[in-house]
């Protein structure tokens, strides 16, 4: 067990790192952020910050000497340099390596027996054309690496769009995935301790637009609830196979054929922000508990309904109205410039 008073290293200094640092502080831990940016928003909530590149071995070694356990809030990180942290990195490097490459991820998920959209790895325009022929349209091309919030993706709605889509994603190694017809999107978020103990939160139903999460609501609709049991089995199978320690998120499509895994995130997730006020233990606190070997907390709901809305880009300018709304929990990430598509904050309403 890593007792309160210890220092938790967090690689990545975005809003997830910030909310992890806040949860760590509440339990009496110190957070130490590692991030290359000038002013990572997590630094405001942390006891210490190292500003260095994610591949800076020397800086990572020094960071390793200053922390008792380390985690990451972001999966687009080079894996090898993090190996200097040894077994104190939780979740381990395998969770990171699988989740950061959409090709590895899909093959791995299929290997655990869970359902994914029909897909092919593509490395050339000919490969894209071949995939379109095999999978039919619509198809979505996604770069294997570095995609998030719908970035690095292009849809192909007919064979004549193959070239434009390949160019749109920059001709990078990619996966081509059949477009799934779904009734809803939802996520299963779980926490797993080193001894295999695990806990699920209720699943949120997630509404996206332009590839970005807008809203998560709990409880999910009936069509999602009917698929939760199977989805949880798939999610725990993934966590067990990875030997994952900490919070793991599995995004699903509720398709007419049952739950289809979209992607996994080896970390706390935007679709779990509602747990800060909507569950007895938030995903952030639970992650800290899991990586420090504390007992997992209750994930019971604190109300009948919870709705989390993201504040994206200049949505954040409505903060004066939002903070005046009785009972609305407003979270602002202190990020500065409200660029289009940038996640600037979120609000949560719990209905008792
Ligand atoms: P990101 O890493 O950007 O979150 P996702 O793979 O989750 O990427 O894609 C973002 C969103 O795009 C999904 O939440 C979903 O709304 C839509 N999408 C992605 N893949 C498919 C697919 N195969 N079929 C239908 N919709 C999809
Ligand atoms: Mg996603």
């Amino acid at each position: 067990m890593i007792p309160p008073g210890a220092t938790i290293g967090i690689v990545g200094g975005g809003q997830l790192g910030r909310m992890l640092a806040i949860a760590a502080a509440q339990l009496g831990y110190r957070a130490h952020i590692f991030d290359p940016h000038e002013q990572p928003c997590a630094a405001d909530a942390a006891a210490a910050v190292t500003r260095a590149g994610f591949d800076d071995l020397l800086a990572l070694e020094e960071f390793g000497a200053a922390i008792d356990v380390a985690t990451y809030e972001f999966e687009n990180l080079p894996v090898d340099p993090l190996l200097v942290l040894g077994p104190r990195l939780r979740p381990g490097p395998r969770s990171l390596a699988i989740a950061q490459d959409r090709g590895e991820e899909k093959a791995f998920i299929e290997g655990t027996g869970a359902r994914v959209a029909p897909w092919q790895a593509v490395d050339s325009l000919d490969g894209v054309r071949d995939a379109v022929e095999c999978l039919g349209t619509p198809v979505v091309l996604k770069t294997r690496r570095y995609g998030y919030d719908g970035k690095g993706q292009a849809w192909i709605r007919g064979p004549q769009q193959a070239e434009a889509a390949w160019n749109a994603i920059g001709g990078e190694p990619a996966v081509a995935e059949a477009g799934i017809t779904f009734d809803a999107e939802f996520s299963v978020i779980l926490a797993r301790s080193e001894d295999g103990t695990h806990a699920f939160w209720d699943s949120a139903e997630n509404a996206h637009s332009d590839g970005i999460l807008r809203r998560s609501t709990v409880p999910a609709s009936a069509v999602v609830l009917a698929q939760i049991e199977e989805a949880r089995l798939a999610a725990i199978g993934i966590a067990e196979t990875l030997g994952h320690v900490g919070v793991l998120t599995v995004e699903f499509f509720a398709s007419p054929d049952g739950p289809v895994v979209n992607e996994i995130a080896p970390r706390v997730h935007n679709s779990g922000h509602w747990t800060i006020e909507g569950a007895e233990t938030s995903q952030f606190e639970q992650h800290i508990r899991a990586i420090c070997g504390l007992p997992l907390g209750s994930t019971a709901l604190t109300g009948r309904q919870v709705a989390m809305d993201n504040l994206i880009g200049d949505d954040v300018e409505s903060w004066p109205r939002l903070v005046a709304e009785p009972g609305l929990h407003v979270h602002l990430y202190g990020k500065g410039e409200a660029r289009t598509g940038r996640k600037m904050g979120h609000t949560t309403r719990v209905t008792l």
Side-chain angles (χ1 to χ4, degrees), residues 102 117 140 142 147-151 153 155 177-180 182 185 208 211 251 253 262-263:
R102 293 191 194 272
V140 55
K142 301 180 181 176
Y148 68 97
D149 288 347
K151 293 183 175 66
Q153 301 192 10
W155 281 84
E177 223 181 277
I180 293 287
F182 55 79
E185 291 187 73
H208 296 81
E251 290 181 39
F253 302 119
N262 172 27
E263 60 172 351

Side-chain angles (χ1 to χ4, degrees), residues 36-335:
H37 294 96
E38 184 78 40
Q39 271 191 317
C41 76
D44 295 348
V49 185
T50 297
R51 189 171 143 223
F54 293 129
D55 55 359
D56 186 334
L57 262 182
L58 216 62
L60 276 168
E61 263 169 30
E62 272 176 36
F63 173 71
I67 53 101
D68 298 289
V69 60
T71 192
Y72 40 87
E73 57 107 53
F74 169 67
E75 58 268 28
N76 293 323
L77 296 168
V79 176
D80 283 353
L82 290 174
L83 300 178
V84 301
L85 300 172
R88 287 178 305 156
L89 184 68
R90 295 177 178 177
R94 182 138 187 256
S95 295
L96 184 59
I98 300 255
Q100 69 179 213
D101 181 309
R102 293 191 194 272
E104 303 250 355
E105 178 182 60
K106 292 213 186 292
F108 171 82
I109 294 165
E110 282 178 323
T112 67
R115 203 181 281 113
V116 296
W119 68 285
Q120 277 187 20
V122 296
D123 295 305
S124 65
L125 177 55
D126 278 345
V128 178
R129 292 203 170 108
D130 182 61
V132 168
E133 204 171 298
C134 294
L135 302 170
T137 51
V139 154
V140 55
L141 270 192
K142 301 180 181 176
T143 54
R144 289 178 75 125
R145 289 171 176 272
Y146 305 120
Y148 68 97
D149 288 347
K151 293 183 175 66
Q153 301 192 10
W155 281 84
I156 302 174
R157 303 196 185 272
Q160 73 289 354
Q161 293 177 352
E163 187 166 359
W166 176 243
N167 293 334
I169 64 157
E172 298 273 332
V175 297
E177 223 181 277
I180 293 287
T181 308
F182 55 79
D183 296 309
E185 291 187 73
F186 66 101
S187 41
V188 171
I189 308 184
L190 65 87
R192 183 176 177 276
S193 300
E194 202 171 16
D195 66 5
T197 317
H198 62 269
F200 294 101
W201 283 268
D202 284 51
S203 276
E205 182 157 334
N206 302 324
H208 296 81
S209 65
D210 302 325
I212 306 184
L213 182 69
R214 296 281 152 171
R215 179 161 235 242
S216 291
T217 45
V218 174
S221 57
V223 60
V224 169
L225 292 177
Q227 300 196 0
I228 296 292
E229 197 180 321
E230 190 180 342
R232 284 187 172 183
L233 278 174
I236 192 65
I238 290 167
E240 289 290 337
T241 312
L242 288 171
H244 190 87
V245 176
V247 169
L248 175 79
T249 304
V250 185
E251 290 181 39
F252 287 91
F253 302 119
S255 87
D257 305 323
V260 174
V261 176
N262 172 27
E263 60 172 351
I264 64 177
R267 54 168 169 79
V268 290
H269 193 260
N270 194 170
S271 64
H273 290 359
W274 66 269
T275 61
I276 298 176
E277 293 90 6
E280 285 182 355
T281 309
S282 77
Q283 60 170 349
F284 302 101
E285 177 179 341
Q286 198 82 301
H287 186 72
I288 300 298
R289 285 172 172 261
I291 65 173
C292 291
L294 304 184
L296 297 181
S298 158
T299 54
L301 298 183
T302 60
R304 271 186 308 116
Q305 279 180 0
V306 193
M308 186 288 306
D309 287 287
N310 270 338
L311 300 174
I312 296 171
D314 49 21
D315 291 351
V316 71
E317 281 160 24
S318 56
W319 70 264
R321 177 177 60 76
L322 297 170
V323 293
E325 271 190 42
L328 190 71
H329 299 282
V330 180
H331 296 255
L332 301 173
Y333 305 149
K335 276 183 168 179

